[in-house]
Amino acid sequence: MKLGIVGLPNVGKSTLFNSMTLGKAEAANYPFCTIDPNVGVVAVPDKRLDRLTSLYNSAKTTPAVIEFVDIAGLVKGASKGEGLGNKFLSHIREVDAIVHVVRCFEDANVVHVDGSVDPVRDIETINLELIFSDLEILERRIAKTTKSLMGNKSLKKALDVLKKLQEGLEKGICARMISFDDPDDAAFVDTLDLLTSKPVLYAANVAEDDLADDGASNENVQAVRDYAAKDGSEVFVLCAKIEEEISELDNDEKEEFLSALGVSSSGLDRLIKASYKLLGLISYLTSGPDETRAWTIKNGTKAPQAAGKIHTDFERGFIRAEVVAFDDLDRLGSMPAAKEQGLVRSEGKEYVVKDGDVILFRFNV
């Protein structure tokens, strides 16, 4: 999973990136301190892996990972070259989802590029720049397709889709909100890598005092939630400053620190949970003496395709999957004990893999 981090300057983007990736992106109280995109890879915390590693005495533990791409703060006119320009938007065209960091805290010592805190205005500023950038892509694609249409009439359908997208964007509607009845049309839109077609997670960056009640008493956070509800997006609340402090602690200290704040999980944990939900992802697990590993798949994936995540031969030669729920294996303490209880199932090609399934694939090529 690859997530792109966007937002206005001075909203906490680079601070958030640093805390989540343990990176060293510059975070300063002035716009455009991030020149080149920062990229960092984060392991997805999963206590189930620790338990399986212990049960199987695995030599290696491999978690799922998320790649973060942090680009320069965007300002009004970025798509036309203002600030650091439109070229920075190209760095996030290939991400799976966008994390849009929105400032929901007041602090006279941290400059706001527009002079005041107004999260809806800020969101719409960024959305417009993404729309303008997508319109440039579409205009070039429409011109190219129109030219090719002279010798290939089959491109008419693609041209119609492109023009429908263009009309929607010109009205200020993000591509993800433009529906297509034909699955082929929707699949074609996915190939365009439009920024506004990507699902969005709004990260409401609050002051420390607003963390305990998850921003419920913060009017700015509520404004973001209302906006996201209409947008079909997810919202999670965090304090980037606190996340940076947490990132420097070991696991035991983290839990103690979070407890003192009255918070049950870190911003990174909430981000991961929200992103999995938004993208419809789950994890199944494999374990043995050599390795315990988490595999990320789309919810609804059948066993052969899940096996294909490990190796294409597993999918091609799929025979069956031996499956046990992690909770059952955890409770009973071993695979033989789970088998004795009849909790290890042999599943065929139509089995839909569930989150937390511990699977051994049988295949023959």
Side-chain angles (χ1 to χ4, degrees):
M1 180 161 49
K2 193 172 182 179
L3 303 178
I5 304 177
V6 303
L8 293 171
N10 295 355
V11 297
K13 278 188 326 82
S14 293
T15 302
L16 176 63
F17 175 85
N18 283 339
S19 65
M20 293 185 172
T21 64
L22 301 182
K24 296 301 177 188
E26 187 175 358
N29 185 20
Y30 57 89
F32 315 126
C33 62
T34 307
I35 303 300
D36 296 316
N38 299 302
V39 179
V41 177
V42 177
V44 175
D46 192 337
K47 291 181 179 179
R48 298 174 301 188
L49 292 177
D50 297 332
R51 173 62 170 155
L52 288 174
T53 296
S54 174
L55 288 178
Y56 284 88
N57 196 25
S58 305
K60 182 181 178 184
T61 305
T62 307
V65 296
I66 295 177
E67 183 176 332
F68 288 100
V69 182
D70 171 34
I71 66 168
L74 301 174
V75 293
K76 193 176 292 183
S79 62
K80 302 298 182 186
E82 294 294 326
L84 289 179
N86 188 22
K87 67 176 184 176
F88 291 95
L89 293 171
S90 66
H91 295 301
I92 56 169
R93 286 212 173 270
E94 295 179 5
V95 300
D96 299 303
I98 289 174
V99 179
H100 186 159
V101 183
V102 187
R103 179 170 168 174
C104 293
F105 65 89
E106 299 281 353
D107 188 339
N109 296 316
V110 180
V111 178
H112 190 293
V113 290
D114 287 327
S116 63
V117 175
D118 184 340
V120 171
R121 177 202 61 207
D122 294 352
I123 288 170
E124 290 178 343
T125 295
I126 297 295
N127 280 349
L128 274 177
E129 296 312 314
L130 301 185
I131 284 172
F132 291 148
S133 183
D134 282 349
L135 278 170
E136 282 189 23
I137 298 288
L138 286 175
E139 283 164 9
R140 290 198 295 269
R141 190 67 181 259
I142 287 170
K144 183 179 177 182
T145 305
T146 301
K147 189 176 180 181
S148 301
L149 189 64
M150 303 291 289
N152 186 356
K153 298 300 180 186
S154 65
L155 293 174
K156 174 70 167 61
K157 191 177 182 186
L159 186 60
D160 289 343
V161 172
L162 292 169
K163 286 185 174 179
K164 182 177 178 179
L165 285 168
Q166 184 184 43
E167 288 170 9
L169 290 173
E170 286 175 344
K171 294 175 183 174
I173 302 169
C174 291
R176 63 181 171 275
M177 303 298 288
I178 302 170
S179 59
F180 293 89
D181 296 329
D182 188 334
D184 290 339
D185 291 346
F188 171 62
V189 173
D190 288 341
T191 68
L192 299 174
D193 281 334
L194 297 177
L195 294 170
T196 62
S197 69
K198 300 181 186 300
V200 175
L201 281 163
Y202 291 108
N205 189 10
V206 301
E208 180 183 331
D209 293 344
D210 290 323
L211 266 185
D213 67 354
D214 201 33
S217 57
N218 185 313
E219 292 181 1
N220 290 321
V221 172
Q222 191 53 52
V224 175
R225 285 181 169 139
D226 291 343
Y227 189 96
K230 299 173 190 172
D231 197 30
S233 302
E234 292 282 326
V235 179
F236 71 102
V237 175
L238 81 159
C239 173
K241 190 176 177 183
I242 291 296
E243 290 301 313
E244 196 164 40
E245 292 180 32
I246 292 173
S247 69
E248 297 172 0
L249 305 175
D250 62 32
N251 287 336
D252 289 340
E253 289 175 324
K254 280 180 186 176
E255 289 186 13
E256 201 174 304
F257 186 66
L258 289 170
S259 178
L261 289 171
V263 180
S264 60
S265 59
S266 70
L268 176 59
D269 291 338
R270 292 196 295 279
L271 168 58
I272 290 170
K273 185 176 179 181
S275 58
Y276 268 64
K277 179 182 176 184
L278 184 70
L279 295 170
L281 301 176
I282 61 171
S283 292
Y284 75 86
L285 313 165
T286 57
S287 194
D290 293 332
E291 182 182 41
T292 288
R293 183 163 182 165
W295 303 87
T296 302
I297 56 173
K298 280 277 188 183
N299 196 8
T301 300
K302 292 183 179 179
Q305 288 69 49
K309 287 286 288 185
I310 300 175
H311 198 286
T312 52
D313 284 351
F314 281 34
E315 180 176 358
R316 189 158 53 92
F318 179 87
I319 299 172
R320 68 180 186 277
E322 293 180 10
V323 183
V324 60
F326 169 80
D327 289 344
D328 291 332
L329 187 56
D330 179 35
R331 177 169 50 85
L332 294 169
S334 71
M335 187 64 82
K339 285 181 178 177
E340 281 180 21
Q341 296 285 329
L343 296 172
V344 179
R345 312 181 308 278
S346 181
E347 302 286 2
K349 293 183 177 181
E350 294 304 309
Y351 177 69
V352 176
V353 175
K354 297 177 179 61
D355 184 62
D357 277 349
V358 182
I359 306 179
L360 173 64
F361 291 107
R362 301 291 185 185
F363 71 103
N364 184 29
V365 178

